Amino acid sequence: MSQYVRAQHGPSVERPFTVMEGLVAIVGNELNFPLPPGATWPGLAALPGRMAERVQLVGTYIVPGTRITPHVTPRDLESGVAYVHGLLLLLSQGLERLAVLERTVHPRSLNQTVAGAMVGTVRERLAKWLSDRYALSRKST
């Protein structure tokens, strides 16, 4: 007998839901992330186009005992999109993080320590990313 708990396929990524208890794993081609109790998955239609493209979802898994509800409020949907946006900031790599941040605010409009914290890095690394990114954009124009 296996010592592992078997996760089951979970709800569709197409439709919104809120995790009441347990845990749902959102599985994508490149990104995977958990939805803990209280978190709302907003459904693919609620994600802005570029965000939906980035997550490239394959499906979901739930651990035994997980309860979800399909009843979500507009505020739940907004929170769900914000959660995905935050995860993309943390789970993306290097210059991709800046692209995610730029959907909300231009990184150079923020203090570099704050902008670095927004993308999960330190000020020095952010300064290098900004330098590299804007050097590339000047060359392409």
Side-chain angles (χ1 to χ4, degrees), residues 13 21 23 31 38 46 51 59 61-62 65 73 75 91 107-109 112 130 132 141:
V13 294
E21 50 181 275
L23 190 64
L31 298 175
M51 194 181 295
Y61 288 95
I62 60 172
T73 66
R75 179 69 179 122
L91 298 175
R108 289 200 172 182
S109 69
Q112 284 190 350
L130 288 170
D132 291 348
T141 57

Side-chain angles (χ1 to χ4, degrees), residues 12-135:
S12 168
V13 294
E14 300 292 326
R15 300 191 188 285
F17 61 87
T18 297
V19 179
M20 305 303 287
E21 50 181 275
L23 190 64
V24 175
I26 302 292
V27 180
N29 286 329
E30 295 180 27
L31 298 175
N32 302 311
F33 51 89
L35 286 177
T40 294
W41 171 251
L44 287 178
L47 295 177
R50 292 180 66 188
M51 194 181 295
E53 289 171 18
R54 178 66 180 100
V55 292
Q56 298 178 21
L57 296 177
V58 175
T60 62
Y61 288 95
I62 60 172
V63 297
T66 297
R67 285 188 319 111
I68 62 169
T69 180
H71 304 292
V72 296
T73 66
R75 179 69 179 122
D76 293 336
L77 291 176
E78 187 178 305
S79 294
V81 171
Y83 178 70
V84 173
H85 192 177
L87 287 171
L88 286 174
L89 282 169
L90 293 175
L91 298 175
S92 297
Q93 299 296 315
L95 293 176
E96 289 178 34
R97 290 181 181 179
L98 288 179
V100 174
L101 181 63
E102 287 171 337
R103 291 182 199 135
T104 306
V105 63
H106 194 286
R108 289 200 172 182
S109 69
L110 299 171
N111 169 296
Q112 284 190 350
T113 301
V114 172
M118 296 291 180
V119 294
T121 193
V122 295
R123 181 185 60 78
E124 293 80 8
R125 183 171 296 135
L126 176 76
K128 171 101 172 75
W129 289 351
L130 288 170
S131 174
D132 291 348
R133 181 170 183 85
Y134 295 108

